[in-house]
Amino acid sequence: MAQAAKKTNWFAIWVTAGVVIALVLVTVLVVVLNNAAAPKPLPTEVNTPSASNIDAETGAIHVGDGADNLATYVDFMCPICGQFESTFGEQIDGLVSDGSITLDIHPISILDSQSQGTQYSTRAANAMYCVAVADADKSLPFLQQMFAQQPTEGSKGLTNKEMLAIASDVGVSGIDSCVNDGTYAGYITEITQKTPIQEGASGIGTPTVVANGELVPNQAVFGTTDVMTWFQ
C-alpha cells in the first residue's frame, strides 16, 4: 500500500513567515531610529558671514561704538565662559550702552568633544553668527540668553530647535535654515584657530579677553570686578 502524501503544514509556514517579517521590520525600525538619533554632520565648506557688523577676517561681531575695544572669545559650552558672563555680563552691557566700549564677540568652538557627538560648540557659534547677520542689535541679547540657558558641559547641549526659540525670544526669526544647515560651521572651524593664546598655555582657551588689542592674562580677568581695569 502506497504511503499517503504528507499534508503541507501551512500553519507552520505562515508562523515562520510571520516571524521572519517581524524580525525584518524590527531591524528596519532599529536602523531608522539609529539614523534619526545620529546628529547631522556639519558642513566643512567655509561660508563667510557677511554683514556690516561682522569683521570677516577676525570673526568679530561688533556691538556698540565706544572708543575702547573689548574682544571676548567664548565657547557656549564652556562653564568658565558662563561664569564670565554671570560675573561681568551686566557690566559689559552697561559699558556698551553708555558708549564707553565697543564689544567684539568672537564665538568659537573648542569643546565639540564635550557634547556627546552633537558638536554643540560649533552649532551654537553658528547660531550666533546667524543671529548677528540677521539683526546686529540682537547679537548681545542672544549671547546673554544662550548663557542664561547654558547646558552642562558633557551633555548633548541645546538642540537647534531650542536655539531657534532663544533667537525668537530676543526678536530674531527667519534663520531656521541657517541654524539647521550649519551654514557657518566651516568658517567657525577656521576662525577659531585665530584665537590669541595665553602666554604659557598649551593651546586655545576660553574665555579669552583682549582689551584695546592687548591680551588680558586670565588672573587679571578674574582678579577684579571692574571691567575697566582691563584697559589700564
Side-chain angles (χ1 to χ4, degrees):
M1 182 178 179
Q3 185 179 3
K6 293 183 178 180
K7 290 186 176 180
T8 301
N9 191 338
W10 289 106
F11 177 76
I13 291 174
W14 283 113
V15 168
T16 301
V19 170
V20 171
I21 292 171
L23 289 173
V24 170
L25 290 175
V26 168
T27 301
V28 170
L29 180 60
V30 168
V31 171
V32 170
L33 289 177
N34 284 339
N35 288 338
K40 178 182 178 182
L42 294 174
T44 57
E45 67 268 18
V46 177
N47 295 311
T48 304
S50 179
S52 60
N53 58 309
I54 297 176
D55 184 329
E57 183 176 349
T58 67
I61 298 171
H62 303 304
V63 180
D65 57 4
D68 285 313
N69 180 270
L70 178 66
T72 59
Y73 296 75
V74 297
D75 184 312
F76 285 107
M77 180 60 90
C78 165
I80 302 178
C81 293
Q83 179 185 344
F84 177 85
E85 173 61 25
S86 65
T87 303
F88 301 109
E90 185 176 349
Q91 187 178 169
I92 291 172
D93 191 354
L95 291 171
V96 169
S97 297
D98 69 16
S100 297
I101 67 171
T102 296
L103 174 64
D104 283 351
I105 302 169
H106 294 261
I108 66 171
S109 171
I110 61 173
L111 293 175
D112 271 347
S113 62
Q114 301 302 311
S115 56
Q116 301 183 33
T118 72
Q119 295 182 271
Y120 176 67
S121 294
T122 297
R123 290 189 298 107
N126 176 72
M128 180 82 236
Y129 279 113
C130 294
V131 168
V133 169
D135 190 336
D137 292 339
K138 305 303 183 184
S139 301
L140 188 52
F142 180 75
L143 176 143
Q144 292 166 339
Q145 286 304 307
M146 284 288 285
F147 278 119
Q149 301 179 48
Q150 184 182 36
T152 303
E153 184 178 11
S155 70
K156 291 184 178 181
L158 301 177
T159 64
N160 290 346
K161 183 177 180 179
E162 288 170 329
M163 291 190 289
L164 285 167
I166 292 174
S168 179
D169 287 344
V170 300
V172 177
S173 59
I175 60 170
D176 295 45
S177 60
C178 180
V179 171
N180 290 327
D181 295 344
T183 299
Y184 304 116
Y187 174 78
I188 291 159
T189 299
E190 182 180 85
I191 211 69
T192 293
Q193 302 311 309
K194 296 185 178 183
T195 304
I197 298 176
Q198 292 279 349
E199 184 177 355
S202 59
I204 297 168
T206 53
T208 292
V209 177
V210 178
N212 286 338
E214 296 292 329
L215 185 63
V216 182
N218 289 334
Q219 60 268 28
V221 171
F222 287 100
T224 183
T225 56
D226 184 0
V227 170
M228 292 308 295
T229 61
W230 302 337
F231 296 94
Q232 298 173 3

